[in-house]
Amino acid sequence: MQLLINPSDELPIYRQIMRQITEAIAGGRLKSGDKLTSHRELSEHLVIAPLTVKKAYDELEALGYIETQRGRGTFVCATLPETDRADQAEQIRQSARRLLSQAYLAGLGFQEVVKVLEEADRELTEGPPALQHPASKTQETQ
Amino acid sequence: MTPILEFHNISRSFKKDVPVLNGVSFSMTEGEVVGLLGRNGAGKTTLIRIAMGMLFPHTGTVRVFGLSPTDEPVAVKKRIGYVAEEQVLPVGSSIAELIALHRYLFPSWDPALERQLLDRFGFAGTAAKIRHLSKGQARQVALICAVCHRPELLILDEPAGGLDPAARREFLETSIQLLNREGTAILFSSHHMNDVERLGGRVVLLDDGKVRLDRQLDQIHEDHCVAMIPRSAVPASDAIESLPGCLRARPVFEDWHAVFQGTPEAVRRRLQESLGLQDVRCVSVPLEELFVELVGSKRLEEVS
């Protein structure tokens, strides 16, 4: 998978990496057992400090999404962290209410929100649109 | 562990009673990356020249690998790589002559790294004279001369100054590779916040002769915010700047922009408790904005 970072974002670079990998796992673009790019390769590819990549991987490992196997590399965990479904369901209901009220206040109708959700689903499962066009691989503003 | 670089209470002035540096202290450990930031004239280059033993501090001490750079220049310089902002390479020599000189001066010179970098920067040959190189190419030659003896500490003074974006990126890529392969510690000064973000590590911000901020980049992102407080609610900046965690407040049109240490939520609460202000807008901002708020002008510019 291809990662994009934007150094002038207010979100630290390591968090941008964490978010993209979590989204790829959620959307099934990264599956259990898939190998991640090594620290060094990713650091040189994205032109960012190796410690920044290490921090992102360490945090994802602490959260139980990925694991490092000595001498073999870093992989998506075979079993992803268990979450309390009932607890999550309540949080998701709350997020949905917030999303809908924000949309209605902005003048969007229910069907339009559904469209937005479908777009988001495509981005999660197929990758962000920028990644589907090889010509627009970077979106960094200098 | 001995710090590889240590500034202790450094002061230096060029005009009487106008200190450029006025009590600067910080240190770096092995393999650490530190971005030295500050406005033009904040003393970044002066501090770097003191570390290189090219200038004496008027007060304070500097130690590089535990040694004084002025008392033991050879022992120190053997282990440092340095690229100056305005690198003065002898314009009449060829790339080959310059590299041969460095190879002769540094016993630990690594010819494989030299070839690799020449290759990477796309130098077809080394017969070209320095005067015929572009600014970017000259900087690349300076970098080759600075890193091929595999220094433990690389000091880059505005390495990207005056370079086009592509040359800057190549320079950065090489620095990242050195970090990856050699674990070289890097002290660099820069005005390009994106480059600072990419090299990561720690940020030391010089202002008014002192260290105004010295923290890990990630902590700066996650634990600082800017509060926008209506000037009608608080008449003087002192009332804000005296609050715990406030680094600076400056007027921007109808508001004070105040930089606080803390998350936006925590700072909003603090402002409500201490000054009775309701719903103050507190936002996390990119490094560039934070830089402007921390060292930008305190005067409200009237444009009429």
Side-chain angles (χ1 to χ4, degrees):
Chain A
M1 69 174 283
Q2 188 129 40
L3 294 169
L4 288 176
I5 54 125
N6 178 1
S8 46
D9 200 288
E10 67 226 37
L11 199 66
I13 294 175
Y14 87 93
R15 288 218 175 258
Q16 296 179 34
I17 295 173
M18 281 177 69
R19 185 161 69 185
Q20 288 175 55
I21 292 179
T22 330
E23 285 185 357
I25 293 174
R29 279 176 292 137
L30 274 177
K31 296 187 180 57
S32 288
D34 280 358
K35 191 173 182 190
L36 296 180
T37 317
S38 74
H39 293 176
R40 185 166 141 174
E41 241 177 284
L42 193 57
S43 142
E44 293 186 6
H45 179 71
L46 296 175
V47 197
I48 56 172
L51 277 179
T52 305
V53 179
K54 186 176 182 310
K55 181 158 184 186
Y57 279 18
D58 284 353
E59 299 258 324
L60 285 169
E61 187 153 1
L63 292 171
Y65 289 112
I66 62 175
E67 58 192 341
T68 304
Q69 298 176 9
R70 248 167 177 271
R72 291 193 54 218
T74 308
F75 299 85
V76 179
C77 285
T79 48
L80 293 173
E82 295 252 335
T83 48
D84 182 349
R85 258 169 197 263
D87 185 47
Q88 288 277 311
E90 181 45 37
Q91 279 187 28
I92 291 165
R93 265 197 295 278
Q94 277 183 22
S95 305
R97 273 201 299 276
R98 262 203 304 276
L99 173 72
L100 281 179
S101 64
Q102 191 189 356
Y104 293 165
L105 285 172
L108 261 64
F110 182 71
Q111 284 311 317
E112 283 164 294
V113 177
V114 171
K115 232 182 246 150
V116 169
L117 280 173
E118 283 168 355
E119 272 167 34
D121 173 61
R122 262 199 303 282
E123 282 181 22
L124 278 185
T125 53
E126 294 163 22
L131 295 183
Q132 290 154 21
H133 303 285
S136 56
K137 268 201 310 208
T138 54
Q139 57 178 22
E140 183 192 326
T141 49
Q142 287 282 340
Chain B
M1 199 166 70
T2 329
I4 56 166
L5 176 61
E6 190 172 22
F7 296 106
H8 180 70
N9 198 28
I10 299 285
S11 299
R12 169 81 206 199
S13 36
F14 293 101
K15 267 189 286 181
K16 202 168 185 298
D17 299 327
V18 191
V20 173
L21 300 173
N22 191 6
V24 168
S25 302
F26 71 89
S27 60
M28 278 176 73
T29 54
E30 219 171 274
E32 200 176 16
V33 179
V34 173
L36 192 57
L37 310 187
R39 301 193 67 162
N40 294 321
K44 303 184 293 293
T45 298
T46 304
L47 194 64
I48 284 175
R49 291 168 76 92
I50 287 172
M52 291 301 299
M54 297 155 77
L55 276 176
F56 280 106
H58 287 160
T59 71
T61 48
V62 58
R63 290 287 174 271
V64 188
F65 312 114
L67 307 170
S68 158
T70 44
D71 293 348
E72 302 183 66
V74 176
V76 167
K77 287 204 173 103
K78 265 205 308 218
R79 299 161 69 184
I80 292 191
Y82 172 54
V83 180
E85 186 181 4
E86 289 300 326
Q87 192 78 35
V88 196
L89 300 174
V91 291
S93 352
S94 66
I95 301 174
E97 286 165 346
L98 207 59
I99 288 178
L101 172 69
H102 280 81
R103 204 186 289 131
Y104 167 76
L105 287 174
F106 293 100
S108 59
W109 192 265
D110 178 350
L113 185 58
E114 171 203 318
R115 263 194 308 279
Q116 193 197 331
L117 287 177
L118 280 170
D119 223 38
R120 165 183 192 91
F121 292 142
F123 288 108
T126 52
K129 293 244 194 292
I130 300 299
R131 75 159 61 87
H132 296 131
L133 300 180
S134 71
K135 197 169 187 172
Q137 287 173 322
R139 200 73 59 89
Q140 287 166 340
V141 172
L143 186 66
I144 292 174
C145 293
V147 302
C148 285
H149 60 292
R150 297 181 176 270
E152 293 154 67
L153 171 63
L154 183 58
I155 298 185
L156 305 170
D157 192 359
E158 285 250 22
L163 297 191
D164 68 62
R168 245 175 66 207
R169 181 58 63 86
E170 280 163 15
F171 201 99
L172 212 55
E173 281 170 355
T174 308
S175 310
I176 298 280
Q177 279 191 356
L178 287 168
L179 273 177
N180 261 321
R181 291 170 196 184
E182 319 284 334
T184 316
I186 301 182
L187 174 69
F188 71 105
S189 72
S190 179
H191 291 303
H192 290 280
M193 297 301 150
N194 281 355
D195 294 358
V196 176
E197 294 280 3
R198 286 182 181 280
L199 279 173
R202 197 168 118 210
V203 165
V204 173
L205 176 64
L206 294 182
D207 183 43
D208 210 11
K210 297 196 183 321
V211 174
R212 185 172 287 277
L213 188 72
D214 177 354
R215 289 198 85 185
Q216 294 294 324
L217 196 53
D218 293 332
Q219 287 174 345
I220 292 176
H221 274 285
E222 294 179 341
D223 198 32
H224 285 81
C225 68
V226 174
M228 280 151 244
I229 303 164
R231 286 165 67 204
S232 53
V234 184
S237 63
D238 302 6
I240 302 169
E241 284 184 327
S242 61
L243 292 176
C246 183
L247 297 172
R248 194 172 190 247
R250 66 180 199 124
V252 178
F253 295 103
E254 306 303 312
D255 291 329
W256 298 109
H257 282 192
V259 180
F260 278 90
Q261 190 177 327
T263 60
E265 297 75 47
V267 170
R268 202 175 298 125
R269 248 193 335 269
R270 213 180 302 161
L271 285 168
Q272 183 164 357
E273 282 159 13
S274 52
L275 298 177
L277 299 166
Q278 300 286 333
D279 293 326
V280 171
R281 225 178 124 218
C282 296
V283 289
S284 303
V285 296
L287 189 59
E288 182 142 339
E289 300 307 313
L290 200 72
F291 178 89
V292 171
E293 297 301 353
L294 280 172
V295 300
S297 170
K298 273 214 162 199
R299 268 190 328 228
L300 187 66
E301 305 291 341
E302 292 286 346
V303 183
S304 53

